[in-house]
Coordinates of all heavy atoms in Angstrom, one line a residue:
A1 N 75.8 81.2 54.0 CA 76.8 82.2 54.4 C 77.7 82.5 53.3 O 78.2 81.6 52.5 CB 77.7 81.6 55.6
A2 N 78.0 83.7 53.0 CA 78.9 84.1 51.9 C 80.2 84.7 52.3 O 80.2 85.6 53.3 CB 78.2 85.1 51.0
P3 N 81.3 84.2 51.9 CA 82.6 84.8 52.3 C 82.8 86.2 51.7 O 82.3 86.5 50.6 CB 83.7 83.9 51.7 CG 82.9 83.0 50.7 CD 81.5 83.1 50.9
D4 N 83.3 87.1 52.5 CA 83.5 88.4 52.2 C 84.6 88.5 51.0 O 85.5 87.7 51.0 CB 84.1 89.3 53.3 CG 84.3 90.7 53.0 OD1 83.3 91.5 53.2 OD2 85.4 91.1 52.5
P5 N 84.4 89.3 50.0 CA 85.3 89.3 48.8 C 86.7 89.7 49.2 O 87.7 89.3 48.6 CB 84.7 90.4 47.9 CG 83.3 90.5 48.3 CD 83.2 90.2 49.7
Q6 N 86.9 90.5 50.2 CA 88.2 90.9 50.6 C 88.8 90.2 51.8 O 90.0 90.1 52.0 CB 88.2 92.5 51.0 CG 88.2 93.4 49.8 CD 86.8 93.6 49.2 OE1 85.8 93.6 50.0 NE2 86.7 93.7 47.9
L7 N 87.9 89.8 52.8 CA 88.4 89.1 54.0 C 87.9 87.7 54.0 O 86.7 87.4 54.3 CB 87.9 89.9 55.2 CG 88.2 91.3 55.2 CD1 87.4 92.0 56.3 CD2 89.8 91.5 55.5
S8 N 88.7 86.7 53.6 CA 88.3 85.3 53.5 C 87.7 84.7 54.7 O 87.0 83.7 54.7 CB 89.4 84.6 52.8 OG 90.5 84.5 53.7
C9 N 88.1 85.2 55.9 CA 87.7 84.6 57.1 C 86.4 85.3 57.7 O 85.9 84.8 58.7 CB 88.8 84.7 58.2 SG 89.3 86.4 58.6
V10 N 85.8 86.2 56.9 CA 84.6 86.9 57.3 C 83.4 86.4 56.4 O 83.6 86.4 55.2 CB 84.8 88.4 57.3 CG1 83.4 89.1 57.6 CG2 85.9 88.9 58.2
F11 N 82.3 86.0 57.1 CA 81.2 85.6 56.3 C 80.0 86.3 56.8 O 80.0 86.9 57.9 CB 80.9 84.0 56.7 CG 81.9 83.1 56.0 CD1 83.1 82.9 56.6 CD2 81.5 82.3 54.9 CE1 84.0 82.0 56.0 CE2 82.4 81.5 54.4 CZ 83.7 81.3 54.9
R12 N 79.0 86.4 55.9 CA 77.7 87.0 56.3 C 76.6 86.1 55.9 O 76.6 85.4 54.8 CB 77.6 88.4 55.9 CG 77.5 88.6 54.4 CD 77.3 90.0 54.0 NE 77.4 90.2 52.6 CZ 76.9 91.1 51.9 NH1 76.2 92.0 52.5 NH2 77.0 91.2 50.6
C13 N 75.5 86.2 56.5 CA 74.3 85.3 56.2 C 73.6 86.0 55.1 O 73.2 87.1 55.1 CB 73.4 85.2 57.4 SG 74.2 84.2 58.7
V14 N 73.3 85.1 54.0 CA 72.5 85.6 52.9 C 71.7 84.4 52.5 O 71.9 83.3 52.7 CB 73.4 86.0 51.7 CG1 74.4 87.2 52.0 CG2 74.3 84.9 51.2
A15 N 70.5 84.8 51.7 CA 69.7 83.7 51.2 C 70.5 83.0 50.1 O 71.4 83.6 49.4 CB 68.4 84.4 50.6
A16 N 70.2 81.8 49.8 CA 70.9 81.0 48.7 C 70.8 81.8 47.4 O 71.8 81.8 46.7 CB 70.3 79.6 48.6
S17 N 69.7 82.4 47.1 CA 69.6 83.1 45.8 C 70.5 84.4 45.8 O 70.6 84.9 44.7 CB 68.2 83.5 45.6 OG 67.7 84.4 46.6
N18 N 71.1 84.8 46.9 CA 71.8 86.0 46.9 C 73.4 85.7 47.0 O 74.1 86.7 47.3 CB 71.4 86.9 48.0 CG 70.0 87.5 47.8 OD1 69.7 87.7 46.6 ND2 69.3 87.8 48.8
C19 N 73.8 84.5 46.8 CA 75.2 84.2 46.9 C 76.1 85.1 46.1 O 77.1 85.7 46.6 CB 75.4 82.7 46.6 SG 75.1 81.6 47.9
S20 N 75.8 85.3 44.8 CA 76.6 86.1 43.9 C 76.4 87.6 44.2 O 77.4 88.3 43.8 CB 76.4 85.8 42.5 OG 75.1 86.1 42.2
K21 N 75.4 88.0 44.8 CA 75.3 89.4 45.2 C 76.2 89.8 46.3 O 76.8 90.8 46.3 CB 73.8 89.8 45.5 CG 72.9 89.7 44.3 CD 71.5 90.1 44.8 CE 70.5 90.0 43.6 NZ 69.2 90.2 44.0
A22 N 76.4 88.8 47.2 CA 77.3 89.0 48.4 C 78.7 88.9 48.0 O 79.6 89.7 48.4 CB 76.9 88.1 49.4
N23 N 79.0 88.0 47.0 CA 80.4 87.8 46.5 C 80.3 87.2 45.1 O 79.9 86.1 45.0 CB 81.2 86.9 47.5 CG 82.6 86.8 47.0 OD1 82.9 87.0 45.9 ND2 83.4 86.3 47.9
P24 N 80.6 88.0 44.1 CA 80.4 87.5 42.7 C 81.2 86.2 42.4 O 80.9 85.5 41.5 CB 80.9 88.6 41.9 CG 80.8 89.8 42.7 CD 81.1 89.4 44.1
E25 N 82.2 85.9 43.2 CA 83.0 84.7 43.0 C 82.4 83.4 43.6 O 82.9 82.4 43.5 CB 84.4 84.9 43.5 CG 85.2 86.0 42.7 CD 86.5 86.3 43.3 OE1 87.0 85.4 44.0 OE2 87.1 87.3 42.8
T26 N 81.3 83.6 44.2 CA 80.7 82.4 45.0 C 79.2 82.4 44.6 O 78.3 82.6 45.4 CB 80.8 82.6 46.5 OG1 80.2 83.8 47.0 CG2 82.2 82.6 47.0
A27 N 78.9 81.8 43.4 CA 77.6 81.8 42.9 C 76.8 80.5 43.2 O 75.6 80.3 42.9 CB 77.6 82.0 41.3
Y28 N 77.5 79.5 43.8 CA 76.9 78.2 44.1 C 76.5 78.1 45.5 O 77.3 78.2 46.5 CB 77.8 77.1 43.7 CG 77.3 75.7 44.2 CD1 76.1 75.2 43.6 CD2 78.0 75.0 45.1 CE1 75.6 74.0 44.0 CE2 77.5 73.7 45.5 CZ 76.3 73.3 45.0 OH 75.9 72.0 45.3
A29 N 75.2 78.0 45.8 CA 74.7 77.8 47.1 C 74.7 76.4 47.5 O 73.8 75.6 47.1 CB 73.3 78.4 47.2
N30 N 75.7 76.1 48.3 CA 75.9 74.6 48.7 C 74.9 74.3 49.8 O 75.1 74.8 51.0 CB 77.4 74.5 49.2 CG 77.7 73.0 49.3 OD1 76.9 72.2 49.9 ND2 78.9 72.6 49.1
N31 N 74.0 73.5 49.6 CA 72.9 73.2 50.5 C 73.4 72.2 51.7 O 72.8 72.1 52.7 CB 71.7 72.5 49.9 CG 71.0 73.5 49.0 OD1 70.9 74.7 49.3 ND2 70.4 73.1 47.8
I32 N 74.5 71.6 51.4 CA 75.1 70.6 52.4 C 75.9 71.4 53.4 O 75.6 71.3 54.7 CB 75.9 69.6 51.7 CG1 75.1 68.7 50.8 CG2 76.7 68.7 52.9 CD1 75.9 67.8 50.0
T33 N 76.7 72.3 53.0 CA 77.6 73.1 54.0 C 77.0 74.4 54.4 O 77.4 75.0 55.3 CB 79.0 73.4 53.4 OG1 78.8 74.2 52.2 CG2 79.7 72.1 52.9
R34 N 75.9 74.8 53.7 CA 75.2 76.0 53.8 C 76.1 77.3 53.7 O 76.1 78.3 54.4 CB 74.6 76.2 55.3 CG 73.6 75.0 55.5 CD 72.3 75.5 54.9 NE 71.3 74.5 55.3 CZ 70.3 74.2 54.6 NH1 70.1 74.7 53.4 NH2 69.3 73.3 55.1
V35 N 77.0 77.1 52.8 CA 78.1 78.1 52.4 C 78.0 78.4 50.9 O 77.7 77.5 50.1 CB 79.5 77.7 52.8 CG1 80.5 78.7 52.3 CG2 79.6 77.5 54.3
C36 N 78.2 79.6 50.5 CA 78.3 80.0 49.1 C 79.7 79.6 48.6 O 80.6 80.1 49.1 CB 78.0 81.5 48.9 SG 76.4 82.0 49.5
D37 N 79.7 78.7 47.6 CA 81.0 78.2 47.1 C 81.2 78.8 45.7 O 80.2 79.2 45.0 CB 81.0 76.7 47.0 CG 81.1 76.0 48.4 OD1 81.7 76.6 49.3 OD2 80.6 74.9 48.5
P38 N 82.4 78.7 45.2 CA 82.7 79.1 43.8 C 81.9 78.2 42.8 O 81.8 77.0 43.1 CB 84.2 79.0 43.6 CG 84.7 79.0 45.0 CD 83.6 78.4 45.9
C39 N 81.5 78.8 41.8 CA 80.9 78.1 40.7 C 81.9 77.7 39.6 O 82.8 78.6 39.4 CB 79.7 78.9 40.0 SG 78.9 78.1 38.7
G40 N 81.8 76.6 39.0 CA 82.8 76.1 38.1 C 82.6 76.8 36.7 O 83.4 76.7 35.7
V41 N 81.5 77.6 36.5 CA 81.2 78.3 35.2 C 81.5 79.7 35.4 O 80.9 80.5 36.1 CB 79.7 78.0 34.9 CG1 79.4 78.6 33.5 CG2 79.4 76.6 34.9
V42 N 82.4 80.2 34.6 CA 82.8 81.6 34.6 C 81.7 82.4 34.0 O 81.1 82.1 33.0 CB 84.1 81.8 33.7 CG1 84.4 83.3 33.6 CG2 85.3 81.1 34.3
G43 N 81.4 83.6 34.6 CA 80.3 84.4 34.2 C 78.9 84.1 34.8 O 77.9 84.6 34.4
C44 N 78.8 83.1 35.6 CA 77.6 82.6 36.2 C 77.2 83.4 37.4 O 78.0 83.7 38.3 CB 77.8 81.1 36.6 SG 76.2 80.5 37.1
R45 N 75.9 83.9 37.4 CA 75.3 84.6 38.5 C 74.8 83.6 39.6 O 74.9 83.9 40.8 CB 74.2 85.5 38.0 CG 73.4 86.2 39.2 CD 72.4 87.2 38.7 NE 73.1 88.4 38.1 CZ 72.7 89.1 37.1 NH1 71.6 88.8 36.5 NH2 73.3 90.2 36.8
R46 N 74.2 82.5 39.1 CA 73.5 81.5 40.0 C 73.7 80.1 39.4 O 73.3 79.9 38.4 CB 72.1 81.9 40.3 CG 71.4 81.1 41.3 CD 69.9 81.5 41.4 NE 69.2 81.7 40.3 CZ 68.6 80.8 39.5 NH1 68.6 79.6 40.0 NH2 68.0 81.1 38.5
C47 N 74.3 79.3 40.3 CA 74.6 77.9 39.8 C 73.5 76.9 40.4 O 73.1 77.1 41.5 CB 75.9 77.4 40.3 SG 77.3 77.9 39.3
S48 N 73.1 76.0 39.5 CA 72.2 74.9 40.1 C 73.0 73.8 40.6 O 72.5 73.1 41.5 CB 71.3 74.5 39.0 OG 72.1 74.0 37.9
S49 N 74.3 73.6 40.2 CA 75.2 72.7 40.8 C 76.6 73.3 40.7 O 76.7 74.4 40.0 CB 75.2 71.3 40.2 OG 75.8 71.4 38.9
Q50 N 77.6 72.7 41.2 CA 78.9 73.4 41.1 C 79.4 73.6 39.7 O 80.3 74.5 39.4 CB 80.0 72.8 42.0 CG 80.5 73.8 43.1 CD 81.3 73.1 44.1 OE1 81.4 71.9 44.3 NE2 82.1 74.0 44.7
Q51 N 78.9 72.7 38.8 CA 79.4 72.8 37.4 C 78.4 73.2 36.4 O 78.6 73.2 35.2 CB 80.1 71.4 37.0 CG 81.2 71.0 37.9 CD 82.4 72.0 37.8 OE1 82.7 72.5 36.7 NE2 83.0 72.3 38.9
V52 N 77.2 73.5 36.8 CA 76.1 73.9 35.9 C 75.5 75.3 36.3 O 75.1 75.4 37.5 CB 75.0 72.8 35.9 CG1 73.9 73.2 35.0 CG2 75.5 71.5 35.4
C53 N 75.4 76.1 35.4 CA 74.9 77.5 35.7 C 73.4 77.5 35.4 O 72.9 77.0 34.4 CB 75.7 78.5 34.8 SG 75.1 80.2 35.2
A54 N 72.7 78.2 36.2 CA 71.2 78.4 36.0 C 71.0 79.8 35.5 O 70.0 80.0 34.8 CB 70.5 78.3 37.4
E55 N 71.8 80.7 35.7 CA 71.6 82.1 35.3 C 73.0 82.8 35.2 O 73.7 82.9 36.1 CB 70.8 82.9 36.3 CG 70.5 84.3 35.9 CD 69.7 85.1 37.1 OE1 69.5 84.5 38.1 OE2 69.4 86.2 36.8
C56 N 73.2 83.4 34.0 CA 74.5 84.2 33.8 C 74.3 85.7 34.1 O 73.2 86.1 34.2 CB 74.9 84.1 32.3 SG 75.2 82.4 31.7
F57 N 75.5 86.3 34.4 CA 75.6 87.7 34.6 C 75.1 88.5 33.4 O 75.1 87.9 32.3 CB 77.0 88.2 35.0 CG 77.3 87.9 36.5 CD1 78.2 87.0 36.8 CD2 76.7 88.6 37.5 CE1 78.6 86.7 38.1 CE2 76.9 88.4 38.9 CZ 77.9 87.4 39.2
D58 N 74.8 89.8 33.5 CA 74.5 90.6 32.4 C 75.6 90.5 31.3 O 76.8 90.4 31.7 CB 74.3 92.0 32.8 CG 73.1 92.2 33.7 OD1 72.2 91.3 33.7 OD2 73.0 93.3 34.4
N59 N 75.2 90.6 30.0 CA 76.1 90.5 28.9 C 76.7 89.1 28.7 O 77.7 89.0 28.0 CB 77.3 91.5 29.0 CG 76.8 93.0 29.0 OD1 75.8 93.3 28.4 ND2 77.4 93.8 29.8
F60 N 76.2 88.1 29.4 CA 76.5 86.7 29.1 C 75.3 85.9 28.8 O 74.2 86.2 29.2 CB 77.2 86.1 30.4 CG 78.6 86.6 30.6 CD1 78.8 87.8 31.3 CD2 79.7 85.9 30.2 CE1 80.1 88.2 31.6 CE2 81.0 86.3 30.5 CZ 81.1 87.5 31.2
V61 N 75.4 84.9 28.0 CA 74.3 84.0 27.6 C 74.6 82.6 28.0 O 75.7 82.1 27.7 CB 74.1 84.2 26.0 CG1 73.0 83.2 25.6 CG2 73.7 85.5 25.6
L62 N 73.6 82.0 28.5 CA 73.7 80.6 28.9 C 73.9 79.6 27.7 O 73.0 79.7 26.8 CB 72.5 80.2 29.8 CG 72.6 79.0 30.7 CD1 73.8 79.1 31.7 CD2 71.3 78.8 31.4
E63 N 74.8 78.8 27.6 CA 75.1 77.9 26.5 C 75.4 76.5 27.0 O 75.8 76.3 28.2 CB 76.2 78.4 25.7 CG 75.9 79.8 24.9 CD 75.0 79.7 23.8 OE1 74.8 78.5 23.3 OE2 74.5 80.7 23.3
F64 N 75.3 75.6 26.1 CA 75.8 74.2 26.4 C 75.1 73.6 27.6 O 75.8 73.0 28.5 CB 77.3 74.1 26.5 CG 78.1 74.6 25.3 CD1 78.7 75.9 25.3 CD2 78.0 74.0 24.1 CE1 79.3 76.4 24.2 CE2 78.6 74.5 23.0 CZ 79.3 75.7 23.0
S65 N 73.8 73.7 27.7 CA 73.0 73.2 28.8 C 73.5 73.7 30.1 O 73.6 72.9 31.1 CB 73.1 71.6 28.8 OG 72.5 71.2 27.5
G66 N 73.9 74.9 30.2 CA 74.4 75.6 31.5 C 75.9 75.3 31.8 O 76.3 75.7 32.9
R67 N 76.5 74.7 30.9 CA 78.0 74.4 31.3 C 78.9 75.6 30.8 O 80.1 75.5 31.2 CB 78.4 73.2 30.5 CG 77.6 72.0 30.8 CD 78.4 71.0 31.7 NE 77.5 69.9 31.9 CZ 77.4 69.3 33.1 NH1 78.0 69.9 34.2 NH2 76.6 68.3 33.4
A68 N 78.3 76.7 30.2 CA 79.1 77.8 29.9 C 78.2 79.1 29.8 O 77.1 78.9 29.4 CB 79.8 77.6 28.5
C69 N 78.8 80.2 30.2 CA 78.2 81.5 30.0 C 79.1 82.2 28.9 O 80.3 82.5 29.3 CB 78.2 82.3 31.3 SG 77.0 81.7 32.5
M70 N 78.5 82.5 27.8 CA 79.3 83.1 26.7 C 79.0 84.6 26.7 O 77.9 85.1 26.8 CB 78.9 82.5 25.3 CG 78.9 81.0 25.4 SD 80.6 80.3 25.5 CE 81.3 80.7 24.0
Y71 N 80.2 85.3 26.6 CA 80.1 86.8 26.5 C 79.4 87.3 25.3 O 79.8 86.8 24.2 CB 81.5 87.4 26.7 CG 81.5 88.9 26.7 CD1 81.0 89.6 27.8 CD2 82.0 89.6 25.6 CE1 81.0 91.0 27.8 CE2 82.0 91.0 25.6 CZ 81.5 91.7 26.7 OH 81.5 93.0 26.7
I72 N 78.6 88.2 25.3 CA 77.9 88.8 24.2 C 78.8 89.9 23.7 O 79.0 90.9 24.4 CB 76.5 89.4 24.5 CG1 75.6 88.2 25.1 CG2 75.9 90.0 23.3 CD1 74.3 88.7 25.6
W73 N 79.3 89.7 22.5 CA 80.2 90.7 21.9 C 79.4 91.9 21.3 O 78.5 91.7 20.5 CB 81.0 90.0 20.8 CG 82.1 90.9 20.3 CD1 82.1 91.5 19.1 CD2 83.3 91.2 20.8 NE1 83.3 92.2 18.8 CE2 84.1 92.0 20.0 CE3 83.9 90.8 22.1 CZ2 85.3 92.5 20.3 CZ3 85.2 91.3 22.3 CH2 85.9 92.1 21.5
D74 N 79.6 93.1 21.9 CA 78.8 94.2 21.5 C 79.3 94.7 20.1 O 80.5 94.7 19.8 CB 79.2 95.4 22.6 CG 78.3 96.6 22.3 OD1 77.7 96.7 21.3 OD2 78.3 97.5 23.3
D75 N 78.4 94.9 19.2 CA 78.6 95.3 17.9 C 79.5 96.6 17.8 O 80.5 96.7 17.1 CB 77.4 95.6 17.0 CG 76.7 94.3 16.7 OD1 77.3 93.3 16.7 OD2 75.5 94.4 16.4
R76 N 79.2 97.5 18.8 CA 80.1 98.7 18.8 C 81.5 98.4 19.1 O 82.4 98.9 18.5 CB 79.5 99.8 19.7 CG 78.1 100.3 19.3 CD 77.5 101.1 20.4 NE 77.2 100.1 21.5 CZ 76.8 100.5 22.7 NH1 76.7 101.6 23.0 NH2 76.5 99.5 23.5
A77 N 81.7 97.6 20.1 CA 83.1 97.2 20.4 C 83.7 96.4 19.3 O 84.9 96.6 19.0 CB 83.0 96.4 21.7
Q78 N 83.0 95.5 18.7 CA 83.6 94.7 17.6 C 84.0 95.6 16.5 O 85.1 95.4 16.0 CB 82.5 93.8 17.2 CG 83.0 92.7 16.2 CD 81.9 91.6 15.9 OE1 80.7 91.9 16.1 NE2 82.4 90.5 15.5
H79 N 83.2 96.6 16.1 CA 83.6 97.6 15.0 C 84.8 98.4 15.4 O 85.7 98.7 14.7 CB 82.4 98.5 14.7 CG 81.3 97.8 14.0 ND1 81.4 96.9 12.8 CD2 80.0 97.7 14.3 CE1 80.3 96.5 12.5 NE2 79.4 96.9 13.5
G80 N 84.9 98.7 16.7 CA 86.0 99.5 17.2 C 87.3 98.7 17.1 O 88.4 99.2 16.8
V81 N 87.2 97.4 17.4 CA 88.4 96.5 17.3 C 88.9 96.4 15.8 O 90.0 96.5 15.5 CB 88.1 95.2 17.9 CG1 89.2 94.2 17.6 CG2 88.0 95.3 19.4
H82 N 87.9 96.2 15.0 CA 88.2 96.1 13.5 C 88.8 97.4 13.0 O 89.7 97.4 12.2 CB 87.0 95.7 12.7 CG 86.5 94.3 13.0 ND1 87.3 93.2 12.9 CD2 85.3 93.9 13.4 CE1 86.7 92.1 13.2 NE2 85.4 92.5 13.5
A83 N 88.3 98.5 13.4 CA 88.8 99.9 13.0 C 90.3 100.0 13.5 O 91.1 100.5 12.7 CB 87.9 100.9 13.4
A84 N 90.5 99.6 14.7 CA 91.9 99.8 15.3 C 92.8 98.9 14.6 O 94.0 99.3 14.3 CB 91.8 99.5 16.8
A85 N 92.4 97.7 14.3 CA 93.3 96.8 13.5 C 93.6 97.3 12.2 O 94.7 97.2 11.7 CB 92.6 95.3 13.4
A86 N 92.6 97.8 11.5 CA 92.8 98.4 10.1 C 93.7 99.5 10.1 O 94.6 99.7 9.3 CB 91.4 98.7 9.5
L87 N 93.6 100.4 11.1 CA 94.4 101.6 11.3 C 95.9 101.1 11.6 O 96.8 101.7 11.0 CB 93.9 102.5 12.4 CG 94.8 103.7 12.8 CD1 94.8 104.6 11.5 CD2 94.2 104.5 13.9
G88 N 96.0 100.1 12.4 CA 97.3 99.6 12.8 C 98.0 99.1 11.6 O 99.2 99.2 11.4
L89 N 97.3 98.3 10.8 CA 97.8 97.7 9.5 C 98.2 98.8 8.5 O 99.3 98.7 7.9 CB 96.8 96.7 8.9 CG 97.2 96.0 7.6 CD1 98.4 95.2 7.9 CD2 96.0 95.2 7.1
A90 N 97.4 99.9 8.4 CA 97.7 101.0 7.5 C 98.9 101.7 7.9 O 99.7 102.0 7.1 CB 96.5 101.9 7.4
V91 N 99.1 101.9 9.2 CA 100.3 102.6 9.7 C 101.6 101.8 9.5 O 102.6 102.2 9.1 CB 100.1 102.9 11.2 CG1 101.4 103.4 11.8 CG2 98.9 103.9 11.3
A92 N 101.4 100.4 9.6 CA 102.6 99.5 9.5 C 103.0 99.5 8.0 O 104.2 99.2 7.8 CB 102.2 98.1 10.0
L93 N 102.1 99.6 7.1 CA 102.4 99.6 5.7 C 103.0 100.9 5.3 O 103.8 101.1 4.6 CB 101.2 99.2 4.8 CG 100.6 97.8 5.1 CD1 99.3 97.7 4.3 CD2 101.6 96.8 4.8

């Protein structure tokens, strides 16, 4: 059962593999309570335990044996940030 993202007292039945599809904040399928619980790893799509991620969301990479999902910094965004910083510095001078 996955809690509704807007209504915390409303649940719907989902397969364990679909916990984060029903509510992105509940990626851990708790086999004891049969409820989708929050995962302790930010950016995790599916947890193997409450503190270990098995699969990260798009644009994230699994690191540190599943203990972290690291955001993939897009080269285009990175160049945009550097350009904006350079422009801000030039204007300030």
